[in-house]
């Protein structure tokens, strides 16, 4: 927050209008308000506080013989405080007028005008002041939010009362502590200290519990390592326990890593030996398989050799059967011819019998019979073929 200009009218010891240009005063970075008692130094700070929060600090607000309006001001001049400042990157102007009993415009006596407040913000783009609010409550909330402190906090931290500051300079350490506690409300710091102490105790408890768990894990690691891990002779909560356990664990881890490397080498050697044995076993199994096939082949050869005579006899029978199968049709034809010949002979005999009966005598010959016999003889002589021999199986 930076103050630019303060205008006061009929406020405190200032009967007329006074202006304080803070921009001109703060060109060197630091300035001092000084003057005799009653010159109005505290009133300048009161005017700043009143412009911001609508009230003045400390006992002056409760009415111990001092009012905001100046006793030197003319009756027709109204008390007013106007403050221009920049806070949170915004340039604002706050104007406040406390309640005022002014003379009546008609007749005698006075009338009470209510307190009034204005809040404006400077618009850099347009170069003009823009009104924001005329509500006391809205202006107070806006200023409190922008400054980040309420009136009590602002008075305790920024505007240290003059009498309390002198008492603070002359007080001893204990009294100064009480005074600081009253001025700055250090109860919250005591609460913070108490809370921090509680958190410290809780943290110590967590550390001891963590150390116990760490030692339990370390003992399990020692058992897993076969007793090769050296644990520190420390109790939970002692400084350096975690570092000592971590160091012992690092040594055990290195030893275990070396053992793992050796075991890995042995495993590789065993796997190589197993692979060689597997290859030898495969070769032996293949040789045994070939030997079994050779023995089976020899058994089959002996069996075939023993069955050779029967095989040759079967082949001879099969050859004769094949030849018989070739003449089977001729035999069937011969059988059919013989049957036909027998039927023809029977028919001939039957016919002859009929002819004898018809012509009256067995001695008479049928001319057709002689003719038929002659034809048959001629046909046999003319063909020149002998009867077909019938093969025997």
């Amino acid at each position: 927050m930076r103050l630019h200009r303060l205008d006061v009218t009929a406020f405190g010891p200032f009967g007329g209008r006074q202006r304080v240009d803070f921009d001109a005063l703060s060109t060197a970075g630091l300035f001092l308000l000084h003057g005799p008692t009653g010159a109005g130094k505290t009133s300048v700070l009161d005017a700043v506080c009143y412009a911001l929060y609508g009230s003045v600090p400390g006992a002056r607000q409760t009415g111990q013989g001092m009012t905001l309006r100046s006793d030197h001001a003319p009756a027709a001049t109204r008390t007013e405080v106007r403050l221009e400042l920049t806070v949170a990157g915004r340039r604002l102007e706050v104007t406040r007028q406390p309640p005022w009993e002014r003379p009546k415009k008609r007749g005698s006596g006075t009338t009470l005008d209510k307190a009034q407040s204005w809040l404006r913000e400077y618009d850099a783009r347009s170069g003009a002041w823009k009104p924001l609010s005329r509500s006391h409550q809205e202006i107070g909330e806006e200023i409190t939010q922008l400054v980040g402190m309420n009136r009590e906090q602002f008075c305790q931290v920024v505007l240290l009362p003059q009498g309390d500051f002198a008492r603070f300079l002359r007080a001893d350490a204990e009294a100064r502590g009480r005074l600081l506690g009253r001025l700055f409300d250090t109860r919250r710091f005591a609460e913070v200290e108490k809370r921090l102490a509680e958190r410290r105790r809780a943290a110590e408890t967590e550390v001891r519990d963590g150390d116990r768990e760490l030692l339990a894990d370390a003992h399990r690691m020692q058992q897993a390592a076969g007793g090769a891990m050296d644990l520190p002779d420390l109790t939970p909560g002692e400084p350096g326990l975690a570092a000592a356990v971590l160091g012992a664990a690092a040594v055990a881890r290195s030893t275990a890593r070396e053992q793992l490397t050796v075991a890995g080498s042995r495993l590789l050697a065993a796997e190589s030996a197993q692979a060689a044995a597997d290859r030898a076993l495969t070769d032996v199994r293949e040789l045994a398989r070939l030997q079994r096939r050779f023995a089976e082949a020899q058994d089959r050869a002996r069996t075939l050799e023993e069955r050779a005579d029967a095989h040759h006899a079967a082949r001879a029978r099969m050859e004769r059967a094949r030849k018989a199968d070739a003449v089977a049709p001729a035999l069937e034809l011969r059988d059919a011819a013989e049957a036909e010949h027998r039927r023809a002979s029977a028919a001939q005999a039957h016919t002859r019998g009929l002819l004898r009966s018809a012509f009256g005598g067995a001695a008479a010959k049928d001319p057709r019979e002689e003719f038929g016999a002659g034809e048959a003889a001629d046909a046999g002589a003319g063909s020149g073929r002998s009867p077909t021999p019938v093969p025997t199986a």
Side-chain angles (χ1 to χ4, degrees):
M1 183 181 68
R2 179 177 179 179
L3 305 181
H4 298 289
R5 188 182 71 254
L6 175 67
D7 294 326
V8 294
T9 303
F11 183 86
F14 308 109
R17 182 174 183 179
Q18 302 292 333
R19 168 171 291 185
V20 179
D21 190 351
F22 290 103
D23 287 337
L25 293 175
S26 60
T27 53
L30 182 68
F31 62 90
L32 172 68
L33 294 178
H34 67 94
T37 302
K41 303 182 297 297
T42 303
S43 297
V44 172
L45 303 180
D46 290 346
V48 172
C49 184
Y50 180 74
L52 293 175
Y53 298 101
S55 60
V56 295
R60 293 182 294 278
Q61 179 65 24
T62 60
Q64 294 181 356
M66 178 180 288
T67 61
L68 298 180
R69 179 172 176 77
S70 174
D71 296 333
H72 307 288
T77 302
R78 181 162 188 174
T79 303
E80 181 182 272
V81 176
R82 179 176 299 171
L83 176 65
E84 184 179 339
L85 74 158
T86 297
V87 58
R90 300 170 61 183
R91 186 153 184 161
L92 304 175
E93 182 188 73
V94 187
T95 302
R96 292 188 185 272
Q97 295 178 353
W100 174 43
E101 288 188 1
R102 64 174 178 81
K104 292 183 178 181
K105 295 181 180 180
R106 297 178 181 180
S108 60
T110 60
T111 184
L112 180 65
D113 285 347
K114 296 181 180 180
Q116 299 186 33
S117 300
W118 292 268
L119 177 63
R120 300 193 303 173
E121 182 176 6
Y122 182 74
D123 189 357
R125 290 178 296 183
S126 61
W129 290 94
K130 179 177 64 175
L132 296 181
S133 177
R134 293 196 61 179
S135 169
H136 300 294
Q137 183 177 0
E138 290 180 359
I139 296 174
E141 292 177 355
E142 183 74 13
I143 294 298
T144 300
Q145 183 177 1
L146 292 175
V147 176
M149 294 181 287
N150 55 26
R151 185 186 68 85
E152 290 75 12
Q153 294 169 340
F154 183 81
C155 295
Q156 290 174 351
V157 176
V158 180
L159 301 180
L160 186 65
Q162 180 176 353
D164 291 339
F165 183 70
R167 190 179 305 109
F168 172 77
L169 294 178
R170 293 190 298 268
D172 55 10
E174 183 178 357
R176 188 176 300 174
R178 290 194 302 269
L179 181 60
L180 287 175
R182 184 173 63 84
L183 292 176
F184 297 101
D185 191 15
T186 57
R187 289 175 298 177
R188 60 182 182 275
F189 299 107
E191 292 295 329
V192 171
E193 183 179 2
K194 180 180 178 181
R195 182 65 181 273
L196 291 176
E198 293 175 355
R199 294 183 61 180
R200 176 180 58 81
R201 289 190 293 271
E204 289 177 352
T205 303
E206 292 180 0
V207 169
R208 283 193 296 270
D209 294 340
D211 288 345
R212 293 189 186 95
E213 295 179 0
L214 183 61
L215 284 176
D217 293 338
H219 285 299
R220 285 193 291 269
M221 293 171 58
Q222 187 182 34
Q223 293 176 359
M229 179 178 175
D230 296 330
L231 293 179
D233 188 12
L234 296 175
T235 58
E238 291 188 31
L241 175 63
V245 171
L246 290 177
V251 174
R253 183 173 62 250
S254 300
T255 304
R257 188 171 297 166
E258 294 176 358
Q259 294 176 355
L260 179 61
T261 303
V262 174
S265 301
R266 292 178 179 175
L267 177 61
L268 290 176
E271 289 176 349
S272 300
Q274 182 182 3
D278 290 340
R279 290 192 296 270
L281 177 61
T282 303
D283 295 340
V284 170
R285 287 176 176 173
E286 181 66 18
L287 178 60
R289 187 183 65 82
L290 295 176
Q291 288 177 348
R292 284 194 302 272
R293 291 187 60 185
F294 179 71
E296 292 172 357
Q298 285 181 335
D299 294 339
R300 286 196 300 270
R302 283 192 297 269
T303 303
L304 292 176
E305 187 176 355
E306 292 173 356
R307 298 177 181 177
D309 296 338
H311 177 66
H312 292 315
R315 288 186 63 181
R317 288 194 301 272
M318 185 173 63
E319 185 65 25
R320 288 194 300 271
R322 190 164 41 247
K323 292 178 180 180
D325 185 63
V327 300
L331 294 175
E332 292 176 357
L333 290 175
R334 186 194 68 175
D335 293 340
E338 287 180 352
E340 185 65 29
H341 176 68
R342 284 191 295 270
R343 286 193 297 273
S345 297
Q348 181 181 10
H350 179 68
T351 302
R352 284 178 178 178
L354 292 177
L355 289 177
R356 288 189 190 100
S357 299
F359 292 102
K365 290 186 179 180
D366 187 0
R368 288 178 298 179
E369 179 181 357
E370 293 177 356
F371 176 77
E375 273 189 350
D378 293 340
S383 62
R385 291 186 298 178
S386 60
T388 302
V390 178
T392 59

